[in-house]
Amino acid sequence: KNTNLNNSQLNKVPSVGLNWLFINTQKFPLSNKYLRKALAVSINRKEIVDHLLQTGEKPATGILGSSLQLQDRPIFEDGNIELAKNYLIKALNEMGIAKEDLPKIKINCRKGADVLRYVQVIQDQWYRSLGLQVEIQQVEWGTHLRDLKEGHFQIGEMGWVSWINDPIYMLQ
């Protein structure tokens, strides 16, 4: 068995996949819409695909992958730090707290080195752009799925790769 493959032996097949972050809007401080907006627009999706994935992916700027999107313009801002900072200021004012008093945000995710790297990049982006402290909790798949279903999370990670290139299939 030859484990030393070169590029001529690799067969790349296009596929559609996404990683999502689900936000539990019932948990403080993520119950504040401006904080959620700050988190969303501060994520630099292009940086993730260019520097982490590095295999030609395109950033998702909607709820579906780029090859399945029907809208002409992005739904999500990509890495707009100034807008994110403005949303964070609005959030803190609305909640009546200082940034130093904002509790640490926790992301729950599945076990796996690839998942951890992806979540760590977002953790770093939120720290660099907004100065937010983020804790990552990795658990086994069954525990992670149960926690998401039961609402025992602030932010929960989930990934999906489609078997077919169909937006309806992706959304079901």
Side-chain angles (χ1 to χ4, degrees):
K1 182 175 178 181
N2 183 0
T3 58
N4 297 321
L5 298 175
N6 61 42
N7 282 337
S8 66
Q9 296 170 299
L10 296 176
N11 184 19
K12 293 182 182 179
V13 178
S15 64
V16 178
L18 287 174
N19 282 31
W20 287 286
L21 294 177
F22 294 98
I23 296 179
N24 188 340
T25 61
Q26 303 302 306
K27 303 275 186 180
F28 181 82
L30 297 170
S31 53
N32 184 280
K33 72 177 178 182
Y34 292 113
L35 180 57
R36 296 191 307 266
K37 287 182 175 194
L39 295 175
V41 301
S42 66
I43 296 173
N44 188 328
R45 294 157 186 84
K46 182 164 177 23
E47 179 181 270
I48 292 170
V49 299
D50 288 350
H51 301 292
L52 178 65
L53 303 176
Q54 298 181 353
T55 54
E57 292 85 356
K58 295 179 183 170
T61 56
I63 60 172
L64 295 170
S66 59
S67 66
L68 300 177
Q69 290 178 3
L70 300 176
Q71 78 274 6
D72 293 331
R73 294 179 302 157
I75 294 173
F76 306 130
E77 292 271 352
D78 188 38
N80 188 334
I81 305 307
E82 290 310 309
L83 181 59
K85 287 179 180 180
N86 288 334
Y87 281 140
L88 180 60
I89 291 167
K90 283 184 180 180
L92 295 170
N93 288 336
E94 198 171 86
M95 292 184 288
I97 61 174
K99 186 162 73 170
E100 300 77 40
D101 299 324
L102 194 64
K104 193 179 282 191
I105 294 170
K106 185 159 85 173
I107 301 175
N108 292 34
C109 62
R110 308 166 278 151
K111 281 209 179 217
D114 56 335
V115 173
L116 182 59
R117 283 190 302 271
Y118 158 71
V119 174
Q120 284 173 328
V121 168
I122 292 171
Q123 176 189 42
D124 181 62
Q125 288 180 353
W126 286 343
Y127 181 75
R128 283 186 290 127
S129 63
L130 301 171
L132 300 178
Q133 298 293 322
V134 179
E135 175 185 334
I136 298 170
Q137 179 181 357
Q138 264 194 315
V139 295
E140 296 296 333
W141 168 246
T143 303
H144 181 59
L145 190 57
R146 183 198 68 224
D147 288 347
L148 290 179
K149 285 181 179 179
E150 295 177 0
H152 301 303
F153 68 99
Q154 279 189 315
I155 299 177
E157 169 277 334
M158 187 63 72
W160 180 256
V161 177
S162 181
W163 295 82
I164 56 176
N165 200 21
D166 180 354
I168 300 302
Y169 177 74
M170 284 289 288
L171 293 171
Q172 291 177 339

